Structures are given as structure tokens and as C-alpha cells.
Amino acid sequence: SQQGEEDPQALSIQEGENATMNCSYKTSINNLQWYRQNSGRGLVHLILIRSNEREKHSGRLRVTLDTSKKSSSLLITASRAADTASYFCATKPWGTSGSRLTFGEGTQLTVNP
Amino acid sequence: NAGVMQNPRHLVRRRGQEARLRCSPMKGHSHVYWYRQLPEEGLKFMVYLQKENIIDESGMPKERFSAEFPKEGPSILRIQQVVRGDSAAYFCASSPEFGYGYTFGSGTRLTVV
């Protein structure tokens, strides 16, 4: 099945709540990245975590990586309506050329005001 | 630094026509990647190019699709004899030869009527 699978597929929360999205993958990776995509727009890089890292923070974002379970989670704390978007994880597997990434199908996050 | 520039933003073609999508990488970036995104799906890798070379085209359909990145000028993704199933958003990304710095363009939305 698809390398980089997010769950849930869709998530709806109230402003101020935390949002957690998960990503699973199948092959060994060099790094894992999270991107945001607003409707009809391009992708914005959020955060990159390397295979030898377990946790990383950036502002209201917290990413964890468990290479033994081949999974990652993205936590957005104190969500805002402006966080409404699709979130994708992308992996750079070992052995692939350049910076080619494999994307999951995404989680659609809706933050209600 | 203008980032990764893609044009046109929107392209409408009739079945059987040709579509040409252009991508100018970020200044200093020598690697270009093309991805396709169908509605409600994640991005699927198509091709990875360096100047005048195709490095990895494992994601490209065998027929009708071609890509180039000439010594001078933008990278071009060319789709001949378009069909309705080619309707999608096509994203270009670029990266430097060394290090991370992966950046996406805003995409070209192709509609085949």
C-alpha cells in the first residue's frame, strides 16, 4: 500500500483544541517531513525530522518519529481557524535519488471558530 | 528570491491537444522534481531532473508524457494528446545540489475538457 499513510483522513476540532495527525510508512527512511496545503494552493514545508531524531518542535508544532514502528505524529497545539488545511507527511527513503519524496494521502483538518 | 515559479497557474486544454507546463527553480537550485496531485489525493512523484539530464523518471507514464530541463531556461513538463484523466494539479519542486532546501511552486492546474 501507499508509503506514508496519514490518519485520520479528516479531523474537525474547535479553536483552541489540539490536533494530532499520524503517519505510517513502510520502508527505511532518511528523513520525514510534514507539509501543509491550503485549498487550491501549493505546499508549505512545516518541519523535517531526521531518522536519528525522536522529537522536534517548531512554534505550535510538535513532531515525533518512531522508526521502530515506522510512524510519525504531528501535533498542533492551541489550534486556530487559520490552521484549517490538508496536512501531508512525506518520506525520503534511503537509496532513492536526490530529494525525491513519497507523500501520503493527507489529513484534512478543519478548525471551527 | 522569487522562489519556485510555475506557469501558467491554470491551463485548459481540449482532449487531444498538448499541454506544456513550465517551472523555473529557485536561484541556486540545480535539481527539479515534478509531482502530480489528483483531487482529494496526495502528491505522486513523476520525474527528477538535473540540468540536461533525467535522473529518475520512474513515476512518469510511459506514453504521452515527457520532461526536460535544458541548460538554459525553465524545466518543461509536456503532455501530448491530453485526456480527461490528465486533469490534475502539477507541482514542481527544486532543491540545491547539497543540503536540504526543498521548495515547491504553487502548481499548475490542468483541466482537460
Side-chain angles (χ1 to χ4, degrees):
Chain A
S1 58
Q2 178 72 35
Q3 170 91 335
E5 297 181 0
E6 292 93 337
D7 90 274
Q9 287 188 324
L11 180 61
S12 182
I13 59 175
Q14 295 300 123
E15 217 167 19
E17 293 180 338
N18 295 341
T20 299
M21 288 160 271
N22 302 298
C23 168
S24 61
Y25 58 91
K26 297 199 177 296
T27 63
S28 296
I29 61 170
N30 176 286
N31 64 66
L32 184 146
Q33 301 163 39
W34 285 90
Y35 287 83
R36 184 184 72 209
Q37 184 180 36
N38 290 82
S39 180
R41 306 293 291 274
L43 277 82
V44 174
H45 177 256
L46 296 177
I47 197 164
L48 178 153
I49 186 164
R50 292 186 170 78
S51 60
N52 62 351
E53 297 176 309
R54 291 296 166 260
E55 188 171 313
K56 214 163 180 182
H57 297 254
S58 176
R60 293 184 296 114
L61 305 180
R62 174 177 168 250
V63 169
T64 63
L65 179 65
D66 187 335
T67 52
S68 67
K69 295 181 180 177
K70 291 187 168 56
S71 68
S72 173
S73 68
L74 171 68
L75 169 67
I76 303 174
T77 60
S79 63
R80 306 166 182 166
D83 294 329
T84 294
S86 292
Y87 290 82
F88 295 91
C89 70
T91 54
K92 181 178 182 333
W94 283 108
T96 54
S97 51
S99 291
R100 168 186 171 173
L101 298 175
T102 301
F103 284 83
E105 299 301 314
T107 293
Q108 172 61 51
L109 173 66
T110 302
V111 181
N112 302 299
Chain B
N1 193 337
V4 177
M5 304 301 293
Q6 288 189 251
N7 65 80
R9 290 292 301 273
H10 299 275
L11 181 62
V12 179
R13 283 287 176 265
R14 296 188 184 281
R15 279 179 295 172
Q17 291 185 320
E18 178 180 289
R20 280 186 178 235
L21 289 64
R22 287 176 291 277
C23 169
S24 296
M26 278 189 71
K27 188 176 179 181
H29 285 192
S30 56
H31 299 196
V32 166
Y33 310 81
W34 286 93
Y35 292 82
R36 177 165 63 176
Q37 184 180 35
L38 296 171
E40 309 300 323
E41 293 188 10
L43 279 72
K44 299 293 190 289
F45 169 79
M46 298 181 75
V47 63
Y48 160 39
L49 310 104
Q50 296 177 19
K51 284 285 186 183
E52 299 184 280
N53 284 306
I54 297 174
I55 307 302
D56 181 352
E57 57 181 347
S58 57
M60 286 273 274
K62 292 289 186 284
E63 298 177 352
R64 302 188 297 108
F65 284 73
S66 62
E68 63 176 10
F69 188 15
K71 188 176 180 181
E72 302 290 338
S75 174
I76 305 287
L77 179 67
R78 182 180 176 209
I79 312 172
Q80 295 178 290
Q81 299 175 324
V82 295
V83 301
R84 289 235 171 96
D86 297 332
S87 294
Y90 291 83
F91 289 95
C92 169
S94 70
S95 70
E97 185 170 0
F98 300 109
Y100 173 59
Y102 205 84
T103 306
F104 276 92
S106 297
T108 292
R109 279 147 189 85
L110 172 66
T111 303
V112 179
V113 297

